Amino acid sequence: MTESVDLNWFCSQIKSPSVKGIAQAASALIRDGQIATGMQMPAVRDIAEQLGVSPATVSAAWAQLRKQKVLAGKGRSGVWVSGNTVMPHPIRFEKIGNYGENIRADLTLASPDPALLPDLQRALQAALHSPQLNSYIREAISEPLLQAIKPRWPYAAEAFLATDGGFDAMNLLVQTLVSPGDRVIIEDPTATRLLDILDNVGAEILPLACDEQGPLPEVLSVLLEQAPVMLIYQPRTHSATGNSISAARRQALAQVLQQSSTLIVEDDGIGDLSAEASWSLGVYFPERTLHIRSFSKAYGPDLRLAVLSATSEMVRRIQSWRNFGVSWTSRILQDAVAWLMEDEETQRQIATARAIYRQRREAMLASLAQRGLSLPLRDGLSLYIPVASEQFAMITLAARGIAVVPGERCRLGPTQFIRVSIASIRDEQREMIAGALVIASGREFNSLADL
């Protein structure tokens, strides 16, 4: 018979009856061996009654430990201890890659072609003359970067913060502004690591359905009734679908958001490589908008730079949390990006890269269309391809030496698709890849079902 954890003893070990306090106490007891692997935890309702909290509080704590593979089970079957090591890690993101040695075309990462990135030599040399070089002053953003970014920003932001890339900015603000159990609305699908970040903090994710014009206002309106603390969306080119939000949809979203106080987080991950002009709901709601622009795709991943804007109070809170670690982003990297933004030759190179990526998308779409698979042009460094079965698509492509990202890594709903990077596909590869993608899409199976 499975041994059960004593209810009274367990509750006596909990010092803070919050989601975080319950989860931390349980994980510590399991890690120390006081609760052994395989033991049955007390019923959620019994724990809640004993601690004087709602069952939802205990359930949220258990949800955190299930995601960390410490607990398993739910409902009538009960919850038991499945492991004794609590190690948070980005589960979805870590599953991308490692497809084996037979992969000839790795199309998983929507990363820029190194040959299309600007030369950093002059920018880095110029940045070495920063007047604050090697200072321990914890400034939020360097003055040259601030002066370069302000005229290009999509709304009159109150304060700015330089971070070590876009996902670093997202992680900082989520860690600072979201508590375990908080509800967060996010587009479905979205960027893989955004879901990992929200899982890690223990947020309750509310998926926001989208179409080719962006998030659906009527769905957003319903989700806002659940009092979420935050809405996260991608204002320009979407990383998974390549869609961009239309002008009419922007107005509709603004009208819906007028009725709420939810924080608005905009993740502009593709930045200056987007074919769309920069814009922000901060024009309407500057007091609760956080806008993030990454410079990795256009200027270089090793610059590790993004800029976040928000109110002075929110930037102060994020900076305070950041002081546990690095405190500030390298001024060498900040000022190098500032130099690149002001350099005319660099801006021409970025415009050329944007055009080449479009040509590569168009060429691949033309090859697919010749084989009977017609898809819209969209934007970005990857293609969104609906498939009959993600599992079938992945196996089919792997057998032909091709690796892509299955939709399950970046979606919450049931829609089956794959994401295919086109950034570095060469002409001699294209026809082989296109043929495999058409087979992987399962078009033959769809046509048979339609008979």
Side-chain angles (χ1 to χ4, degrees):
M1 178 178 288
T2 301
E3 185 178 357
S4 298
V5 176
D6 182 77
L7 172 66
N8 294 327
W9 171 80
F10 175 69
C11 291
S12 71
Q13 305 300 307
I14 298 172
K15 307 304 179 186
S16 172
S18 62
V19 173
K20 184 176 182 180
I22 296 170
Q24 287 182 339
S27 64
L29 293 169
I30 294 168
R31 184 175 57 249
D32 294 343
Q34 296 186 62
I35 299 178
T37 300
M39 293 185 71
Q40 189 93 11
M41 298 300 291
V44 167
R45 290 191 178 277
D46 292 343
I47 297 173
E49 183 177 353
Q50 186 89 341
L51 294 176
V53 299
S54 72
T57 299
V58 181
S59 294
W62 279 186
Q64 285 190 42
L65 297 181
R66 272 196 294 268
K67 288 169 183 173
Q68 296 168 5
K69 309 302 182 185
V70 175
L71 297 183
K74 58 182 177 179
R76 293 183 179 180
S77 61
V79 174
W80 64 91
V81 180
S82 57
N84 59 6
T85 302
V86 181
M87 187 185 71
H89 58 103
I91 297 172
R92 293 178 180 85
F93 180 70
E94 288 182 354
K95 287 181 179 178
I96 296 175
N98 302 319
Y99 288 97
E101 296 180 357
N102 67 318
I103 296 301
R104 294 176 291 159
D106 188 345
L107 309 179
T108 55
L109 295 179
S111 53
D113 184 342
L116 299 179
L117 292 170
D119 187 345
L120 301 182
Q121 184 170 351
R122 288 191 298 155
L124 291 170
Q125 287 176 339
L128 293 176
H129 298 291
S130 168
Q132 297 288 354
L133 188 65
N134 293 324
S135 168
Y136 270 82
I137 296 175
R138 296 188 293 272
E139 59 185 357
I141 186 170
S142 75
E143 188 61 26
L145 182 57
L146 179 62
Q147 294 307 314
I149 200 70
K150 267 190 170 183
R152 297 168 169 83
W153 212 246
Y155 75 104
E158 189 174 277
F160 294 84
L161 175 70
T163 68
D164 298 337
F167 286 116
D168 178 57
M170 288 299 306
N171 191 45
L172 285 171
L173 71 86
V174 167
Q175 292 284 350
T176 306
L177 304 176
V178 178
S179 298
D182 281 348
R183 295 185 176 96
V184 175
I185 299 173
I186 192 165
E187 293 170 300
D188 185 23
T190 187
T192 300
R193 276 194 278 185
L194 294 185
L195 295 174
D196 282 333
I197 289 170
L198 291 173
D199 278 346
N200 184 50
V201 80
E204 180 182 344
I205 301 175
L206 305 179
L208 174 57
C210 304
D211 62 14
E212 67 279 359
Q213 295 186 56
L216 297 174
E218 61 274 19
V219 178
L220 175 60
S221 180
V222 173
L223 293 177
L224 288 172
E225 294 176 2
Q226 300 187 48
V229 299
M230 184 178 292
L231 159 67
I232 301 174
Y233 78 105
Q234 298 174 57
R236 286 205 274 184
T237 302
H238 193 280
S239 62
T241 66
N243 289 328
S244 298
I245 300 178
S246 68
R249 185 59 54 84
R250 300 172 197 173
Q251 294 291 332
L253 293 173
Q255 289 178 358
V256 171
L257 288 163
Q258 282 180 345
Q259 310 304 318
S260 79
S261 58
T262 298
L263 292 175
I264 301 165
V265 176
E266 301 173 328
D267 176 27
D268 185 4
I270 199 169
D272 290 353
L273 285 182
S274 175
E276 300 293 323
S278 178
W279 72 279
S280 171
L281 286 170
V283 171
Y284 306 101
F285 314 107
E287 75 287 351
R288 56 189 174 105
T289 297
L290 297 97
H291 187 87
I292 298 167
R293 183 183 300 176
S294 171
F295 295 92
S296 296
K297 298 288 195 301
Y299 296 87
D302 270 318
L303 288 169
R304 309 308 306 148
L305 193 83
V307 172
L308 176 155
S309 71
T311 63
S312 297
E313 171 60 18
M314 282 193 281
V315 167
R316 184 194 65 77
R317 289 174 61 187
I318 295 168
Q319 180 66 52
S320 294
W321 193 88
R322 199 183 193 199
N323 285 336
F324 281 114
V326 297
S327 293
W328 75 90
T329 292
S330 164
R331 279 178 281 264
I332 295 174
L333 300 182
Q334 290 189 61
D335 291 358
V337 169
W339 187 94
L340 291 167
M341 292 177 69
E342 302 289 2
D343 181 57
E344 293 183 2
E345 181 182 348
T346 298
Q347 294 307 306
R348 285 193 295 271
Q349 289 176 339
I350 290 174
T352 298
R354 191 162 49 235
I356 291 174
Y357 290 131
R358 180 185 176 92
Q359 291 167 6
R360 290 177 182 173
R361 282 196 310 277
E362 290 176 337
M364 178 55 73
L365 290 173
S367 294
L368 293 173
Q370 289 174 0
R371 292 165 170 81
L373 179 58
S374 296
L375 299 171
L377 177 59
R378 296 192 174 109
D379 190 21
L381 303 181
S382 59
L383 293 180
Y384 171 94
I385 302 181
V387 297
S389 164
E390 289 177 14
Q391 183 179 22
F392 172 80
M394 297 299 291
I395 293 172
T396 299
L397 292 172
R400 290 161 174 78
I402 301 170
V404 299
V405 176
E408 67 172 357
R409 301 283 190 271
C410 43
R411 63 171 167 81
L412 297 163
T415 304
Q416 301 279 297
F417 69 91
I418 55 175
R419 194 196 73 185
V420 182
S421 172
I422 53 85
S424 300
I425 292 179
R426 298 292 179 258
D427 291 343
E428 61 270 18
Q429 296 176 299
R430 189 169 59 247
E431 297 306 317
M432 178 274 291
I433 292 172
L437 290 174
V438 171
I439 296 171
S441 72
R443 285 182 57 82
E444 293 86 356
F445 300 102
N446 285 336
S447 59
L448 286 173
D450 290 338
L451 291 177

